[in-house]
Amino acid sequence: MARHGSLAEQLAALKAYATTPDHDPEPIQTNWTIIPANDNDPEEVAEMTVERRWRMKPSTAEIMRQVLTGDVERNEAGQVVRIGKLRFSDGSQTEQAMKVTIDGKVVSFQARMPAGAMLGMKDAAESQLGGEEDSQHVTASNDYFATMLKTGRHRYKAGGKRRRGKNYSHAESVELLASALANTDMSKVVRTYYPAGLPCGSAKVAESFLGMQKGKKGESGSVMWQDIVSAREERIAYGWAIAALSDNDRDVLDAAVKAKSFGQVGASLGFAGKTAERRGKRAVLAANDNLARAIQDYVA
């Protein structure tokens, strides 16, 4: 075996000391950069905009349906304040709006709605047009997860307004639970086991399983939590092994990581000439063996 190859194998602990990171593993690896590679001329793109989906609520069809079929309500002044489900301002109502202050900040305020203005309208830009996924591909993706996880077909349930009840303190909750248990005959309680299902909060099931999605170029996806925990435990054990070394061994290892030769390590220890090279090599090998022994002790 070559002399240098044998020495490299002997210094495996020193290599681990030089390459082991001093932080926990990153959960996601990517080549994404926050620095934009923008080579566009600002004058050329100044007037360009992105076409977006525009949402108006209520829609024009809904407004016309309420006008044709809804009853009309007027206030004491004779102003129309309601047509079906449509509500109109009499000049005293306000709605939240945004404005720019003198110092350039955008803040919300209550804007007074003029008489006759329709209340509760939504008129805003939503998602960008183009690039929407075909419903056929989404259905195929959902069916894949249903088959793999052996569940029923996915059903998307859109979120709505939630009714919130009374907020109970911890003591009140404990008292209510104790009262319910005291008044319940557990022998008559029927346990219900629901069949396995898929999350219904998103139209695309794959959005709930990010680790199973293939990202863009350079993205390796999310690291499994088991790997993160294992790497963290290994890092803790390695830290204890380093702490078990003497100050002299740590100084020698730090010098060896930065040095280009054994002579430079020996020089950092106060030697010169051939003695520095000989004593530097001896010190590196000794510190390497001590580190390997400490790692083995904590691994075992």
Side-chain angles (χ1 to χ4, degrees), residues 259-270:
K260 297 182 179 179
S261 65
F262 290 122
Q264 292 184 2
V265 177
S268 67
L269 299 176

Side-chain angles (χ1 to χ4, degrees), residues 95-116:
E95 287 189 353
Q96 185 173 351
M98 309 299 292
K99 68 177 180 179
V100 180
T101 60
I102 298 178
D103 53 357
K105 296 182 179 180
V106 179
V107 297
S108 60
F109 75 106
Q110 293 296 321
R112 185 174 299 278
M113 304 300 294

Side-chain angles (χ1 to χ4, degrees), residues 79-98:
Q79 297 173 311
V80 177
V81 295
R82 184 180 63 83
I83 301 179
K85 295 182 179 180
L86 306 178
R87 298 182 300 109
F88 299 90
S89 172
D90 60 2
S92 61
Q93 289 84 358
T94 61
E95 287 189 353
Q96 185 173 351
M98 309 299 292

Side-chain angles (χ1 to χ4, degrees), residues 22-291:
D22 57 352
H23 58 275
D24 292 335
E26 300 293 339
I28 293 180
Q29 298 177 356
T30 176
N31 62 356
W32 180 260
T33 175
I34 61 174
I35 303 177
N38 188 1
D39 56 355
N40 298 325
D41 187 353
E43 296 182 358
E44 294 180 0
V45 299
E47 302 299 328
M48 293 184 180
T49 58
V50 178
E51 188 176 4
R52 292 182 174 273
R53 190 182 309 278
W54 201 268
R55 179 180 179 86
M56 297 180 63
K57 184 180 179 181
S59 62
T60 304
E62 176 64 16
I63 293 175
M64 296 306 300
R65 189 176 70 84
Q66 294 296 330
V67 171
L68 294 176
T69 61
D71 58 322
V72 179
E73 179 182 348
R74 298 177 180 270
N75 59 9
E76 297 179 354
Q79 297 173 311
V80 177
V81 295
R82 184 180 63 83
I83 301 179
K85 295 182 179 180
L86 306 178
R87 298 182 300 109
F88 299 90
S89 172
D90 60 2
S92 61
Q93 289 84 358
T94 61
E95 287 189 353
Q96 185 173 351
M98 309 299 292
K99 68 177 180 179
V100 180
T101 60
I102 298 178
D103 53 357
K105 296 182 179 180
V106 179
V107 297
S108 60
F109 75 106
Q110 293 296 321
R112 185 174 299 278
M113 304 300 294
M118 187 180 298
L119 302 176
M121 289 195 62
K122 180 180 180 180
D123 187 6
E126 291 188 337
S127 59
Q128 179 176 331
L129 292 178
E132 295 90 350
E133 288 188 290
D134 188 356
S135 59
Q136 181 179 358
H137 291 83
V138 175
T139 302
S141 175
N142 295 344
D143 291 342
Y144 164 78
F145 282 96
T147 302
M148 181 188 63
L149 300 175
K150 298 179 181 180
T151 66
R153 295 200 65 180
H154 172 258
R155 293 185 303 170
Y156 170 56
K157 183 178 180 180
K161 294 182 178 179
R162 297 181 179 180
R163 295 182 178 180
R164 297 185 179 273
K166 178 183 177 182
N167 293 328
Y168 294 95
S169 63
H170 176 71
E172 292 175 337
S173 300
V174 171
E175 183 179 354
L176 290 174
L177 180 60
S179 176
L181 291 175
N183 298 328
T184 303
D185 185 0
M186 300 303 296
S187 62
K188 298 181 180 180
V189 175
V190 179
R191 296 184 178 182
T192 303
Y193 294 91
Y194 291 95
L198 294 170
C200 60
S202 174
K204 188 176 180 182
V205 180
E207 295 179 352
S208 300
F209 300 91
L210 300 181
M212 300 180 64
Q213 295 191 41
K214 182 178 180 181
K216 299 182 288 296
K217 181 178 179 182
E219 293 183 351
S220 60
S222 177
V223 181
M224 295 181 63
W225 68 267
Q226 296 94 331
D227 296 337
I228 296 177
V229 173
S230 299
R232 183 172 298 174
E233 292 300 322
E234 292 174 359
R235 176 62 192 171
I236 294 174
Y238 181 78
W240 283 110
I242 297 297
L245 295 176
S246 64
D247 294 339
N248 182 66
D249 287 339
R250 285 195 293 269
D251 293 339
V252 171
L253 292 175
D254 291 336
V257 171
K258 301 177 182 178
K260 297 182 179 179
S261 65
F262 290 122
Q264 292 184 2
V265 177
S268 67
L269 299 176
F271 301 99
K274 291 293 184 179
T275 303
E277 183 176 357
R278 185 176 65 256
R279 297 296 294 270
K281 180 178 181 180
R282 184 184 304 174
V284 170
L285 291 174
N288 175 80
D289 293 343
N290 293 336
L291 176 59

